Amino acid sequence: MVWTRNPLSLVHRATPTAADRKVKALQQVRYTQDLWITIGAVMALLTAIRLIRLALRFMYPPSPPPMPTFSEKLPQEEVQPGHSGRISWRRLPYAVLSAFRIVAFRLQITIGPGISASVSELTFIFGYISVIFVLLFMNTHDLNAFWYEDRAAHYASSQLPLIVALAGKNNIISFFTGISHEKLNILHRAAARTCLILLWVHAIARVVTGLPQKFDFTHFWMQCGAVGLTAITLAAILSVRPIRTAFFELFLVGHIFLIAIFLLFGYLHARDPDYGDYIWPALVLWAFDRLLRLGTLVLNNRLGRTRHPHEGTATVELLSQDTIRLTLRRRMNWKAGQHAYVVLPTISDLPSEAHPFTISTISKSLDGTDGSEEKDVTFLIRGRSGFTARLKEHASGQGNSTVPAFIDGPYGCPPDLTTNHTCILIAGGSGVSYILPLLLDLVHNARAGRSSVRRIVFVWAVREPEHLKWISKILNEAMAQAQSTQLSIDPRIYITGPKFSPSLTELSMNDRRSEGGDSVPVSPVTEASDEKTMGPLSEKTSDQKLGLSPWMAINLIHGRPSISKILQEEISVSSGPVSVDVAGPSALSRAVSNALATKITSPISVLRGAPSVSLHVEVFGM
């Protein structure tokens, strides 16, 4: 083998023999297979874990809590703690599980301004990157470019189906592992950026070491490669968080357009050397996802079929200065906590522009039945910028109105909370659109006798008391339905803005103090009024204007919630598993994660009898 080196290059290249080329071809195939075997093994492990959990849930379904021996509900103060304080080594598996949850999911590591990731996420990301680059530079004879320049392209191309699958709303990875596509999105971005690096390694190594006539840019397939590389590079630039956040609609349209160009021209580039088989499966997966979404859109909106006029429209209501309620009447089913994409042609810049929002209602009836075939699909939307700002302007100018609307979904893999004893639901601002349906679903399952949940703590931090109008009517209905069950609901609303009117305390039946601020328990004496006619709060604000029912006791608290105190108090008195669900600003999610990484859920506490605690953080967004 004759060695030559370009003094201006950072790589060196050998003059290969025919035997070298044969070995190189075999290595590229074998190492690509090894990479996919590794990825397949990880997916198989996650699938096995999910199947085991489903099997255990099937063998031990949730059952309603035992009936008390007296007619009154058991007060929270009399709920006995589920631990003795003495270490029991029989609880070692639960202690190990608690330690794993703390280390893997609750410890957050800052990776950029306002950006953090859990240890599990970073493990998957860096594990994936490490495997790829170890295989890339393995057996390259002192980093001789001849051995890795094309191998990099092979790895990049072979990962395209995985990248597309991780981004798709309907993907086989979510189907088998139960991990929702929005949580897989962080791995999608990591894999896509790794692919970009590999493609640039391939291109630079080829150009720097000198392109023979067969590979110069006079050939169409080489020109296609340059176009594809440019397209994926621009797509990566648009996906950088500050750009993605500031120009989301530009990112959304540009990302789809640029990736389509990349896949098409990448296929044309790789087809000539007979490596197009790496790329066309990605195109098939992308087309399959789009086809399923189109089918869902047609089915949900009964397109092309005789339908009621409301099946093509949505009702728009302005609830407060910056909050809109969007309601669609549709024949569809969804799970509590799922989201859907909404298309409003007369509001959007582009008629086909779709935006995702969490569904704030459930598809079942609160009385434990399936309810009617047609359901209200309701969204609570904060008007900020872009599409939501235009929607807010429409609601402000038109009042309550109807607009043409289409819905695509549902999507997401929300948790099943019915096997827990206590559920702590925490939301900040519009995050209530995620935790409210979880509460409604628990009430539905309690009425249907399919839940072990005994107690729900509903914590909502919101700036203005008038925002109670967002959920007052449905919260009233849920509390009323829970009265005939053994389910105890403790709703706590924290008002973080200017102190609200003292008139809210006039109807108070007790004087309980609560954490995080001045507690104002309210027990109204008037029936809830029509939410559509409620005006803004004034000095004469009454519980009727807040939409509260006569039997409903709710803690209105001025100030911010003390997350650690709430969690510690509720976990310490629970006699069974506890689920904590949080949705809202990233600071709130971090506060909950940090609180559950302390001694209240430590392995020692679990060995002493403390209940196991699971945490679900709603992570949604591009």
Side-chain angles (χ1 to χ4, degrees):
M1 181 180 293
V2 180
W3 291 90
T4 61
R5 184 186 295 269
N6 185 340
L8 299 179
S9 70
L10 299 178
V11 295
H12 63 276
R13 178 185 178 88
T15 302
T17 64
D20 291 334
R21 291 191 179 93
K22 185 176 181 180
V23 171
K24 174 183 175 179
L26 292 174
Q27 285 184 348
Q28 288 174 165
V29 173
R30 187 175 78 248
Y31 290 165
T32 302
Q33 291 175 345
D34 291 344
L35 177 59
W36 269 104
I37 289 173
T38 303
I39 294 173
V42 174
M43 291 178 57
L45 175 62
L46 295 175
T47 302
I49 293 173
R50 187 191 184 205
L51 291 176
I52 291 172
R53 294 178 65 179
L54 291 175
L56 291 175
R57 189 168 298 168
F58 177 78
M59 291 186 294
Y60 306 101
S63 57
M67 295 289 289
T69 56
F70 44 87
S71 60
E72 296 295 328
K73 284 190 174 184
L74 189 65
Q76 173 61 22
E77 289 77 8
E78 296 183 19
V79 175
Q80 296 300 315
H83 50 89
S84 62
R86 291 177 296 186
I87 291 179
S88 172
W89 294 109
R90 288 182 298 179
R91 295 182 57 82
L92 183 61
Y94 299 102
V96 173
L97 177 61
S98 180
F100 174 75
R101 285 171 170 169
I102 291 173
V103 173
F105 303 112
R106 298 171 191 171
L107 293 180
Q108 298 291 313
I109 299 175
T110 302
I111 57 177
I115 307 173
S116 62
S118 67
V119 172
S120 62
E121 291 171 335
L122 293 178
T123 299
F124 275 102
I125 291 172
F126 287 110
Y128 173 82
I129 295 173
S130 299
V131 168
I132 282 185
F133 281 96
V134 166
L135 291 175
L136 176 64
F137 295 114
M138 181 183 295
N139 295 328
T140 55
H141 303 278
D142 296 327
L143 298 181
N144 177 8
F146 167 77
W147 297 99
Y148 67 78
E149 60 188 6
D150 291 335
R151 193 186 301 177
H154 276 251
Y155 285 163
S157 301
S158 70
Q159 295 307 288
L160 293 178
L162 174 67
I163 294 169
V164 173
L166 289 170
K169 308 301 180 292
N170 306 282
N171 68 75
I172 194 171
I173 299 176
S174 292
F175 177 79
F176 283 112
T177 65
I179 303 173
S180 62
H181 75 268
E182 62 268 22
K183 292 184 178 179
L184 291 173
N185 194 259
I186 187 172
L187 296 177
H188 160 74
R189 295 196 298 268
R193 288 163 184 168
T194 303
C195 175
L196 177 64
I197 294 172
L198 291 171
L199 291 175
W200 275 106
V201 168
H202 166 67
I204 292 174
R206 273 290 187 183
V207 171
V208 169
T209 56
L211 290 174
Q213 184 178 1
K214 181 181 177 181
F215 295 96
D216 63 31
F217 285 97
T218 61
H219 295 84
F220 175 71
W221 69 280
M222 286 294 293
Q223 295 169 359
C224 289
V227 173
L229 182 58
T230 302
I232 192 175
T233 302
L234 291 175
I237 294 173
L238 281 179
S239 67
V240 175
R241 182 181 291 265
I243 299 177
R244 186 174 74 242
T245 303
F247 308 100
F248 178 77
E249 293 173 5
L250 173 64
F251 154 76
L252 190 62
V253 175
H255 194 73
I256 295 174
F257 177 71
L258 290 170
I259 293 303
I261 291 177
F262 164 68
L263 291 176
L264 175 60
F265 283 85
Y267 174 75
L268 294 175
H269 172 74
R271 181 184 60 174
D272 193 70
D274 297 326
Y275 295 130
D277 289 347
Y278 282 138
I279 299 178
W280 68 259
L283 290 167
V284 171
L285 288 174
W286 180 84
F288 180 71
D289 175 61
R290 292 291 161 175
L291 185 62
L292 284 182
R293 293 188 65 179
L294 178 61
T296 302
L297 192 70
V298 171
L299 183 63
N300 287 344
N301 302 281
R302 298 174 64 83
L303 298 177
R305 299 160 58 186
T306 303
R307 56 178 181 168
H308 192 280
H310 68 242
E311 290 180 316
T313 62
T315 302
V316 181
E317 304 170 77
L318 187 66
L319 296 183
S320 63
Q321 185 178 4
D322 63 348
T323 306
I324 307 100
R325 177 164 54 202
L326 186 71
T327 305
L328 299 86
R329 187 78 173 166
R330 295 294 188 272
R331 301 180 186 183
M332 59 179 285
N333 293 296
W334 64 93
K335 295 180 181 179
Q338 287 190 306
H339 62 274
Y341 284 75
V342 178
V343 180
L344 303 179
T346 59
I347 305 296
S348 305
D349 283 340
L350 298 174
S352 61
E353 187 178 309
H355 292 266
F357 301 103
T358 303
I359 306 173
S360 62
T361 50
I362 59 173
S363 62
K364 307 294 184 181
S365 176
L366 286 172
D367 61 9
T369 65
D370 289 341
S372 62
E373 185 179 358
E374 289 190 342
K375 287 100 175 179
D376 283 338
V377 189
T378 303
F379 305 92
L380 297 175
I381 303 171
R382 298 294 295 272
R384 300 188 185 277
S385 60
F387 169 79
T388 58
R390 292 191 296 273
L391 183 59
K392 181 183 69 174
E393 291 174 3
H394 174 87
S396 301
Q398 302 293 328
N400 293 354
S401 62
T402 59
V403 296
F406 305 95
I407 184 170
D408 168 26
Y411 299 107
C413 303
D416 179 7
L417 307 182
T418 56
T419 58
N420 297 282
H421 177 278
T422 301
C423 292
I424 306 173
L425 310 177
I426 304 173
S430 57
V432 72
S433 61
Y434 174 74
I435 70 164
L436 178 62
L438 297 183
L439 168 66
L440 303 179
D441 188 60
L442 289 172
V443 172
H444 164 81
N445 282 296
R447 288 295 303 268
R450 295 192 297 264
S451 175
S452 300
V453 178
R454 183 68 177 273
R455 176 169 169 78
I456 302 174
V457 181
F458 182 89
V459 179
W460 184 28
V462 68
R463 183 166 178 78
E464 302 290 343
E466 70 166 338
H467 292 164
L468 277 171
K469 294 185 297 182
W470 301 357
I471 65 170
S472 58
K473 183 178 180 180
I474 191 66
L475 187 58
N476 285 338
E477 295 173 1
M479 297 284 287
Q481 293 292 341
Q483 295 299 302
S484 60
T485 71
Q486 298 306 306
L487 187 61
S488 170
I489 302 178
D490 181 4
R492 310 178 191 179
I493 312 299
Y494 290 81
I495 311 300
T496 63
K499 197 161 186 177
F500 47 88
S501 172
S503 64
L504 288 175
T505 66
E506 292 176 1
L507 299 177
S508 175
M509 293 182 61
N510 51 58
D511 190 24
R512 173 177 157 187
R513 306 291 290 180
S514 183
E515 62 286 347
D518 301 324
S519 175
V520 184
V522 176
S523 182
V525 294
T526 55
E527 289 291 340
S529 62
D530 186 355
E531 292 182 343
K532 297 181 180 179
T533 63
M534 291 181 185
L537 290 179
S538 66
E539 292 184 358
K540 295 183 179 181
T541 296
S542 68
D543 306 303
Q544 183 180 14
K545 284 193 174 184
L546 290 177
L548 304 176
S549 292
W551 43 263
M552 181 178 174
I554 185 171
N555 284 312
L556 293 179
I557 306 163
H558 183 257
R560 299 184 180 276
S562 174
I563 297 299
S564 59
K565 188 173 182 180
I566 293 173
L567 295 175
Q568 183 173 11
E569 289 180 352
E570 295 300 329
I571 292 172
S572 65
V573 298
S574 178
S575 58
V578 177
S579 174
V580 180
D581 294 77
V582 57
S586 57
L588 177 64
S589 301
R590 285 196 298 269
V592 174
S593 296
N594 292 338
L596 292 180
T598 60
K599 64 179 181 180
I600 61 176
T601 59
S602 68
I604 293 298
S605 296
V606 174
L607 285 175
R608 294 182 183 277
S612 61
V613 180
S614 58
L615 170 64
H616 308 281
V617 178
E618 169 65 353
V619 179
F620 186 77
M622 297 296 291

